[in-house]
């Protein structure tokens, strides 16, 4: 993303080339850009949800027996001796 941003800045913004293109503000272009952004957003959400379910199906999280901690042993020793 940052490479694309640097490319846009150095080739279009910095030399002010975009001012020479004489872009016109119109409703059709606004709708096209809005639809494009919405499609990209929806595609990202759907594909991430699909990948999340695929990952959870592949490797279920197994419960591992916890080893007793040193703190637990010290508390038990303290309770037994004092």
């Amino acid at each position: 993303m940052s490479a694309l941003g640097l490319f846009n800045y150095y080739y279009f913004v910095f030399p002010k080339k975009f001012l020479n293109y004489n872009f016109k503000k119109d409703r059709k272009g606004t709708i096209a850009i809005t639809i494009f952004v919405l499609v990209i957003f929806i595609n990202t959400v759907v594909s991430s949800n699909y990948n999340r379910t695929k990952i959870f199906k592949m490797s279920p999280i197994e419960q591992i027996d916890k080893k007793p901690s040193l703190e637990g042993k010290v508390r038990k020793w303290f309770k037994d001796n004092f």
Side-chain angles (χ1 to χ4, degrees), residues 47-63:
S47 63
S48 64
N49 192 24
Y50 172 73
N51 286 333
R52 187 178 300 117
T53 57
K54 190 169 96 174
I55 288 171
F56 283 131
K57 284 181 183 177
M58 280 177 39
S59 61
I61 300 173
E62 297 176 9
Q63 295 293 329

Side-chain angles (χ1 to χ4, degrees), residues 6-59:
L6 289 173
F7 176 78
N8 281 336
Y9 179 75
Y10 283 113
Y11 289 105
F12 294 104
V13 177
F14 185 67
K16 297 186 180 184
K17 286 183 182 179
F18 64 96
L19 293 176
N20 296 332
Y21 292 144
N22 292 328
F23 290 120
K24 302 290 182 191
K25 184 177 180 180
D26 63 340
R27 189 165 247 12
K28 198 161 67 169
T30 305
I31 292 173
I33 291 172
T34 305
I35 289 173
F36 177 75
V37 169
L38 285 174
V39 166
I40 294 294
F41 176 74
I42 291 170
N43 187 21
T44 304
V45 170
V46 168
S47 63
S48 64
N49 192 24
Y50 172 73
N51 286 333
R52 187 178 300 117
T53 57
K54 190 169 96 174
I55 288 171
F56 283 131
K57 284 181 183 177
M58 280 177 39
S59 61

Side-chain angles (χ1 to χ4, degrees), residues 66-78:
K66 293 184 179 180
K67 295 180 181 178
S69 67
L70 180 61
E71 181 183 356
K73 289 180 182 179
V74 170
R75 285 184 184 205
K76 183 180 178 207
W77 177 83
F78 190 74

